[in-house]
Amino acid sequence: MASGPEAESLPAAAETVVRWAAGLGVPLAEVHVGGGATVDCATPDRRFDWSAYGHGLARLGRAHPEPTPRIEPGRALTPYCGRYATEVLDVKRSYGEEFVVLRGGTLHLRTPATKGHDQL
């Protein structure tokens, strides 16, 4: 759905997806409503409100029992579990700046980098 919305707004977005899927005219047991849980690397003490999100999804499930919404929490669960360790493959210098080439997926670093989060 998106990356960064607050927990209270995600159930409404999930409801839009569930209603759309239910209107397809094809019987579906479940529908993936995405991830999107906020990870605020700039303010690590601020956490996504999983309780509020869960309560909102429970209300959605009672109002629209078919298809069942499924979530993908992805990176929202792991940033607070420790450190990301990877191999440094190379250090490039260009126009007075250093760029580090890592062995790792772009998903691990792309969103924090594009949002300007300090990852140190």
Side-chain angles (χ1 to χ4, degrees), residues 8-96:
E8 296 79 14
S9 68
L10 280 175
E15 182 174 12
T16 300
V17 173
V18 168
R19 284 179 185 251
W20 171 81
L24 290 175
V26 178
L28 298 171
E30 57 188 52
V31 63
H32 186 291
V33 297
T38 299
V39 174
D40 189 349
C41 295
T43 313
D45 291 337
R46 183 172 166 262
R47 304 288 174 97
F48 185 78
D49 189 347
W50 286 103
S51 180
Y53 185 40
H55 287 296
L57 288 178
R59 283 191 299 277
L60 171 60
R62 288 190 296 275
H64 304 281
E66 296 267 333
T68 301
R70 298 286 184 218
I71 66 167
E72 180 271 310
R75 66 182 179 85
L77 297 178
T78 58
Y80 312 105
C81 297
R83 302 281 186 222
Y84 178 65
T86 186
E87 180 183 359
V88 174
L89 299 175
D90 197 5
V91 177
K92 302 281 187 180
R93 288 172 183 78
S94 179
Y95 297 99

